[in-house]
Amino acid sequence: MASSVTGDAETAISADSSTKRRGGGWITFPFMIATLLGLTIAAWGWLLNLIVYLIEEFNVKSIAAAQIANIVSGCICMVPAVAAIASDSFFGTIPVISVSAFISLMGVALLTLTASLDTLRPRPCETASILCQSPSKTQLGVLYTAITLASIGTGGTRFTLATAGANQYEKTKDQGSFFNWFFFTTYLAGAISATAIVYTEDNISWTLGFGLSVAANFFSFLVFVSGKRFYKHDKPLGSPFTSLLCVIFAALRKRKAVVSTNEKDYHNESITMPTKSFRFFNRAALKQEDEVKPDGTIRNPWRLCSVQQVEDFKAVIRIIPLALATIFLSTPIAMQLSLTVLQGLVMDRRLGPSFKIPAGSLQVITLLSTCLFIIVNDRVLYPFYQKLTGKHLTPLQRVGIGHAFNILSMAVTAIVEAKRLKIVQKGHFLGSSSVADMRGLPFPRECSSVLSRVSRVYEKHRNIDNLGGDWDMFLHKHCFDRSDSKDHGVVTR
């Protein structure tokens, strides 16, 4: 009797310790959200103003700076796929987030060094000169290393953190609540970066602005690591690509076999019968002679797959259109963000006599409107639609509505840019119309003497690039708005 009681007690203790060891639940929420907040502030803090930093501090041409920023944004969007494979197949989400956050910290810290050390930047353009020193190979090497590390770290934590956070909850409702908080926190952190940090970079110093990003990244890294004992750690499941390739090879080898309607002809584990969609791949689960051992296991996984493997492969095929749609959605958004910065640099952004909105901060409009629209959608629009029609909007229908708004947004952007260029083309350019027309911007009176000289050189050479310097950088540094040395207009090529 005593041994029975002892055994029951040991079982209870073992079950309790197993539950504690498994972890998860709402206790992990503050760690996940604080990590997300810090990492997002750090990432957007350097990314939003990257174009301006390249133009002002590295003498990079405006279009080249926009191209670099677009490439960086593209890489940040691609790295999550690699991080997802690494976490699901080999390491798990928690280690991947920890390593990525540390890599991001190293990248932002190195970027801060480029802003603080004069030897890591080219000399500023000389006053009243169109000659601007290009960055050396060493300076570009350090800069690109910093951007690469920061991009890898940002991409590695971007959606892996969302997956890890949702995996802490058992109930679907709790997972949905976490995702709502995830996106709200993401855009709120972006808004903080687009205002406070970008303003610091433009009006105080780049070193301090990037330093704030380093501090936010370091804070989030410490918070995430400190909550490690509370997390539920998912075991890696192995490479998913091996299973997908097995289905393809097995189906091709049996391409001449007749697809059966009898579930006994298939190798079943949990699902008894493959679905009728994409029926060609059902052949991968068809059992043939000597493909199954007496104990029911498969002899060669490249010749016979389970029904579950076949259905998983079909699920991947079904989400390909959604993935492609995401690519087409992200591309115009990235272009629009970089165009917003370039347009902002040639706009009058003054609010009152002493305050000017930084060009990188204009994107806060997008971030804040997204935060607001998430709340309005969940609390007002979707409940109203449900009450009005008695139906729920499916996730795909919501994505479709988002695509429609994105198309409308790009159309408005194109109209505004066309209108701006039309106004420029109809302007009067103070006797330097040939140069001004070429650059696409009406020049202020402060530049008239300089432009007259440059115009004569241009008329001689018939090619502004023969001037030997960076025309965009010269105007940005020494011509536009001479009263404010920190924020000039930049001519876009």
Side-chain angles (χ1 to χ4, degrees):
M1 183 70 175
S3 62
S4 177
V5 172
T6 303
D8 291 342
E10 290 176 350
T11 302
I13 293 173
S14 175
D16 183 62
S17 62
S18 175
T19 301
K20 289 181 179 179
R21 185 168 59 249
R22 186 178 64 179
W26 283 101
I27 193 174
T28 64
F29 178 80
F31 296 98
M32 291 288 180
I33 290 299
T35 301
L36 174 66
L37 183 68
L39 288 176
T40 306
I41 288 175
W44 287 81
W46 65 267
L47 184 59
L48 286 176
N49 224 16
L50 180 60
I51 293 178
V52 180
Y53 182 63
L54 293 174
I55 293 173
E56 284 193 351
E57 302 299 322
F58 277 81
N59 301 343
V60 177
K61 297 178 182 179
S62 55
I63 293 302
Q67 290 173 340
I68 293 173
N70 287 337
I71 292 173
V72 170
S73 298
C75 291
I76 291 177
C77 291
M78 293 297 294
V79 171
V82 179
I85 294 172
S87 59
D88 291 344
S89 304
F90 307 107
F91 308 109
T93 55
I94 304 303
V96 169
I97 293 172
S98 300
V99 173
S100 297
F102 182 76
I103 293 174
S104 174
L105 178 61
M106 294 299 99
V108 181
L110 186 57
L111 190 63
T112 305
L113 283 179
T114 65
S116 59
L117 300 179
D118 293 338
T119 56
L120 295 180
R121 301 188 316 275
R123 289 185 302 174
C125 299
E126 297 180 6
T127 306
S129 172
I130 61 175
L131 298 177
C132 294
Q133 183 183 24
S134 299
S136 66
K137 292 182 179 179
T138 301
Q139 292 168 342
L140 286 177
V142 174
L143 174 68
Y144 290 153
T145 300
I147 294 176
T148 300
L149 290 174
S151 300
I152 292 174
T154 301
T157 59
R158 191 174 189 181
F159 295 116
T160 311
L161 190 59
T163 303
N167 286 342
Q168 305 302 314
Y169 307 97
E170 300 292 340
K171 297 180 180 179
T172 305
K173 182 179 179 181
D174 292 339
Q175 292 177 341
S177 298
F178 175 80
F179 277 120
N180 284 338
W181 279 106
F182 177 87
F183 287 107
F184 179 82
T185 304
T186 298
Y187 288 107
L188 178 62
I192 294 173
S193 296
T195 52
I197 293 185
V198 171
Y199 182 84
T200 301
E201 292 166 351
D202 274 21
N203 294 274
I204 302 177
S205 75
W206 288 100
T207 302
L208 179 59
F210 288 153
L212 292 174
S213 295
V214 173
N217 198 321
F218 183 67
F219 166 78
S220 62
F221 177 72
L222 290 182
V223 169
F224 186 78
V225 173
S226 64
K228 198 171 183 179
R229 61 193 179 97
F230 299 109
Y231 303 146
K232 179 171 67 176
H233 297 260
D234 295 327
K235 294 182 179 179
L237 303 176
S239 176
F241 295 103
T242 303
S243 178
L244 299 178
L245 290 175
C246 285
V247 173
I248 297 175
F249 276 91
L252 289 174
R253 283 182 171 182
K254 300 175 184 178
R255 59 187 177 276
K256 295 182 179 180
V258 179
V259 177
S260 175
T261 57
N262 189 345
E263 66 180 52
K264 294 182 179 180
D265 294 330
Y266 295 95
H267 181 66
N268 306 318
E269 290 179 350
S270 57
I271 301 177
T272 58
M273 190 74 183
T275 57
K276 294 181 179 180
S277 61
F278 305 108
R279 294 182 63 205
F280 174 83
F281 296 102
N282 291 349
R283 294 174 171 84
L286 275 175
K287 292 187 292 188
Q288 294 183 342
E289 188 177 356
D290 296 331
E291 288 186 341
V292 181
K293 297 179 182 179
D295 60 356
T297 59
I298 298 174
R299 291 185 183 275
N300 186 352
W302 294 93
R303 293 190 65 89
L304 179 64
C305 302
S306 66
V307 175
Q308 182 65 56
Q309 285 178 283
V310 173
E311 292 305 310
D312 290 343
F313 179 80
K314 292 179 181 179
V316 172
I317 294 177
R318 293 188 188 100
I319 66 172
I320 288 177
L322 188 60
L324 293 176
T326 303
I327 294 174
F328 286 112
L329 175 66
S330 301
T331 300
I333 289 177
M335 294 174 59
Q336 193 174 29
L337 291 177
S338 60
L339 179 62
T340 299
V341 176
L342 291 180
Q343 286 182 327
L345 287 168
V346 295
M347 289 171 55
D348 183 3
R349 292 169 276 113
R350 287 183 176 82
L351 291 179
S354 58
F355 180 76
K356 180 178 289 187
I357 302 174
S361 296
L362 293 176
Q363 300 181 48
V364 74
I365 300 173
T366 301
L367 300 172
L368 290 179
S369 62
T370 303
C371 287
L372 177 63
F373 208 66
I374 288 174
I375 299 174
V376 173
N377 272 345
D378 285 344
R379 303 299 179 185
V380 180
L381 295 182
Y382 290 147
F384 177 75
Y385 176 84
Q386 182 182 352
K387 184 179 293 186
L388 187 66
T389 63
K391 299 179 181 179
H392 288 278
L393 280 174
T394 66
L396 287 179
Q397 288 173 330
R398 298 185 184 190
V399 171
I401 294 173
H403 275 286
F405 275 103
N406 188 55
I407 294 172
L408 180 62
S409 172
M410 290 305 299
V412 172
T413 301
I415 293 173
V416 170
E417 179 64 7
K419 182 69 174 178
R420 187 184 75 88
L421 293 177
K422 189 175 182 180
I423 292 174
V424 168
Q425 292 168 359
K426 289 184 177 180
H428 299 286
F429 304 119
L430 302 171
S432 300
S433 58
S434 58
V435 178
D437 286 336
M438 181 179 181
R439 296 297 172 178
L441 187 74
F443 298 113
R445 298 182 185 276
E446 291 84 349
C447 303
S448 57
S449 60
V450 177
L451 287 173
S452 297
R453 178 167 56 89
V454 173
S455 181
R456 289 193 296 271
V457 177
Y458 169 72
E459 294 297 335
K460 178 180 179 181
H461 293 283
R462 287 294 178 184
N463 188 345
I464 198 68
D465 293 328
N466 288 338
L467 292 174
D470 190 337
W471 168 260
D472 293 346
M473 178 53 57
F474 169 68
L475 291 178
H476 177 69
K477 288 285 186 181
H478 309 300
C479 187
F480 284 89
D481 193 9
R482 295 287 296 274
S483 63
D484 185 359
S485 61
K486 285 298 295 177
D487 198 356
H488 307 292
V490 175
V491 183
T492 57
R493 289 180 184 263

